[in-house]
Amino acid sequence: MRKEPRAMNVAPHIEAAELTDADLDQVSGGVAAATAAGLHLQVAHLEVCADADAFVSAEGVALGVNAHVGVN
């Protein structure tokens, strides 16, 4: 009588957990304040877009500015 070798299960075992927004803020440091502003102007064939944002958290301050000028 011949026994076949058992196939080994090599699939990784992953355990999922659900996090609430409050739990996630504790892990990531949270956001104490945030603001954003944007502008879109189109005149004839000229298009100007700009936006700015700022975030304040326990880790510090992050600022971002983006601008785009195009011709249609």
Side-chain angles (χ1 to χ4, degrees):
M1 179 193 281
R2 184 174 152 197
K3 284 189 172 181
E4 293 294 321
R6 278 190 167 165
M8 189 189 309
N9 184 1
V10 293
H13 297 282
I14 299 173
E15 206 170 304
E18 187 173 330
L19 292 175
T20 66
D21 287 341
D23 292 336
L24 190 56
D25 283 345
Q26 293 299 319
V27 172
S28 67
V31 174
T35 186
L39 167 75
H40 181 104
L41 177 65
Q42 187 169 1
V43 178
H45 295 290
L46 181 66
E47 180 180 25
V48 178
C49 299
D51 60 26
D53 51 27
F55 301 94
V56 179
S57 70
E59 284 82 25
V61 177
L63 303 171
V65 177
N66 183 30
H68 168 80
V69 177
V71 178
N72 293 332

